[in-house]
Amino acid sequence: MTHALPGYVCPEDGTRADARTAPWCCPACDGPWDLDFAPDPASPLEPAAGPNSLWRYGPVLPLPGAFSVSLAEGHTPLVPLAERVHAKLDFLMPTLSFKDRGAVMLAELARRLSPDRVVADSSGNAGTSVAAYCARAGLDCEVFVPEGTSEKKTEQMRAHGAAVRVVPGGREAAAVAARSAADEAGVFYASHVFNPYFLHGTKTYVYEIWEELGGRLPDALVVPVGNGTLLLGAALAVEELAERGVRSPALIAVQSAAVAPLAAAFAAGTEDAAPVPQLPTLAEGIAIPAPPRARQILAAVRKSGGTFLTVPDDRLREAQRDLARRGLFVEPTAAACWAAVGPGAPGDPLAGRTAIVPLCGAGTKTGLAG
């Protein structure tokens, strides 16, 4: 039985394209795609009856039919951090980061499209995740990374069989190199930013919270934001669950104070974000000076009644160490949300609300911040 793949639609100009033949970005505006897909809120959703992976949410995922790519990702635990605040331990995913949620979707999509090779660009975690899931799917993989990327992460990519291309310059230089390769025939661009199937993988983060909390969500979801793939996935899930009668939480977005284009735009009340300089920060995973989905991220936070918070590197160091003393060793980027709302955070950012923070990447990938 042949199942149709949901196609792409441009959120800016409405251009549509078939997922099997589409270029990696909208040909009219060069922007990222959205997906022409909305699950039926009347369809039964009984994850406990499904497999022990994110495919347990099959009825709300855009890849119909039987799946074959999985490493039993998802279903990560919630643990209390403070009164009314829990952490979701996504650093316990197969490649030690939340990016597995989106990478498994891209790998399954690529398997169905049968490209000659898969290319990706990453500052680390997305690349290791795509490499692992391409290995699982039997796909040739090439990852473009900026110079200075953690050797532990590039070693993991190579261990999974990926060809690693180190690109002089920063994160954007690696993206440009990957997109140039993606324009070649027979190449699937496994972009965690431009391909919306990735966002429909990250939305399972919120579906799991809904399941773990017995059919409800907390007052607030605190999410680190660079390219916004976790936040936009969360926003998708919140909207879909609202159709099922679940009360929607506020989305609290966290950026590094050193590279915070979205926080600046939110404070200024603008609909889009102006690029900012690429300054050094411990939170390298969210140091994105010009996020391609900036307009969508800002709109999602505003619609939820949420806000943006920024954290300096000294708070990131403190938060990483505080979490480690609580038995949770995560990389500095993964400590950003705890830095924003945990002990010592300025003001009262949660205002007494229940909240969940994601711990997105394991500390073994980077070590303790100096």
Side-chain angles (χ1 to χ4, degrees), residues 268-290:
T270 59
E271 293 183 359
D272 206 348
V276 299
Q278 179 78 73
L279 299 178
T281 173
L282 294 174
E284 61 181 9
I286 54 173
I288 308 298

Side-chain angles (χ1 to χ4, degrees), residues 266-328:
F266 184 86
T270 59
E271 293 183 359
D272 206 348
V276 299
Q278 179 78 73
L279 299 178
T281 173
L282 294 174
E284 61 181 9
I286 54 173
I288 308 298
R293 293 187 183 269
R295 292 173 67 90
Q296 291 177 288
I297 298 165
L298 290 163
V301 173
R302 289 187 173 118
K303 182 178 180 180
S304 77
T307 191
F308 275 81
L309 302 173
T310 61
V311 291
D313 275 10
D314 61 341
R315 285 283 303 143
L316 285 169
R317 288 190 189 90
E318 293 169 12
Q320 187 192 27
R321 284 168 168 76
D322 182 72
L323 288 167
R325 288 191 293 268
R326 297 167 187 262
L328 302 165

Side-chain angles (χ1 to χ4, degrees), residues 340-361:
V341 303
D348 184 11
L350 293 178
R353 293 174 290 185
T354 58
I356 290 175
V357 300
L359 300 183
C360 297

Side-chain angles (χ1 to χ4, degrees), residues 122-125 127-128 143-158 164 166 169 171 282 284-285 331-333 362-368:
S122 171
S123 59
N125 285 337
T128 59
V143 184
F144 293 81
V145 302
E147 58 185 353
T149 297
S150 165
E151 290 186 6
K152 292 181 180 179
K153 293 180 180 179
T154 56
E155 181 181 28
Q156 186 180 357
M157 295 174 204
R158 293 187 178 97
V164 177
V166 179
R171 179 67 182 81
L282 294 174
E284 61 181 9
E331 61 185 351
T333 299
T364 53
K365 286 173 172 269
T366 58
L368 199 63

Side-chain angles (χ1 to χ4, degrees), residues 37-219:
F37 172 78
D40 180 2
S43 64
L45 183 55
E46 300 173 346
N52 187 28
S53 71
L54 62 73
W55 297 109
R56 66 200 285 114
Y57 303 104
V60 298
L61 296 177
L63 286 171
F67 67 89
S68 68
V69 181
S70 181
L71 290 167
E73 60 289 320
H75 217 46
T76 57
L78 288 174
V79 300
L81 278 182
E83 186 179 4
R84 302 175 71 82
V85 181
H86 281 68
K88 187 159 172 60
L89 309 190
D90 260 26
F91 69 91
L92 298 181
M93 298 284 270
T95 77
L96 309 183
S97 96
F98 87 96
K99 295 287 176 61
D100 290 359
R101 296 186 182 277
V104 66
M105 296 289 289
L106 294 184
E108 176 65 22
L109 174 62
R111 184 191 67 81
R112 298 183 187 198
L113 298 179
S114 301
D116 295 331
R117 77 183 197 277
V118 174
V119 301
D121 58 274
S122 171
S123 59
N125 285 337
T128 59
S129 191
V130 169
Y133 281 92
C134 281
R136 191 69 173 174
L139 297 164
D140 288 337
C141 179
E142 185 176 14
V143 184
F144 293 81
V145 302
E147 58 185 353
T149 297
S150 165
E151 290 186 6
K152 292 181 180 179
K153 293 180 180 179
T154 56
E155 181 181 28
Q156 186 180 357
M157 295 174 204
R158 293 187 178 97
H160 292 310
V164 177
R165 311 298 183 202
V166 179
V167 180
R171 179 67 182 81
E172 185 59 25
V176 169
R179 292 165 193 168
S180 177
D183 287 330
E184 299 172 11
V187 173
F188 175 80
Y189 183 27
S191 172
H192 57 293
V193 181
F194 279 79
N195 193 304
Y197 278 88
F198 192 95
L199 305 181
H200 284 267
T202 60
K203 78 180 182 185
T204 60
Y205 171 81
V206 171
Y207 274 98
E208 287 181 14
I209 292 171
W210 165 80
E211 182 184 357
E212 288 161 326
L213 294 183
R216 60 184 176 86
L217 293 173
D219 299 326

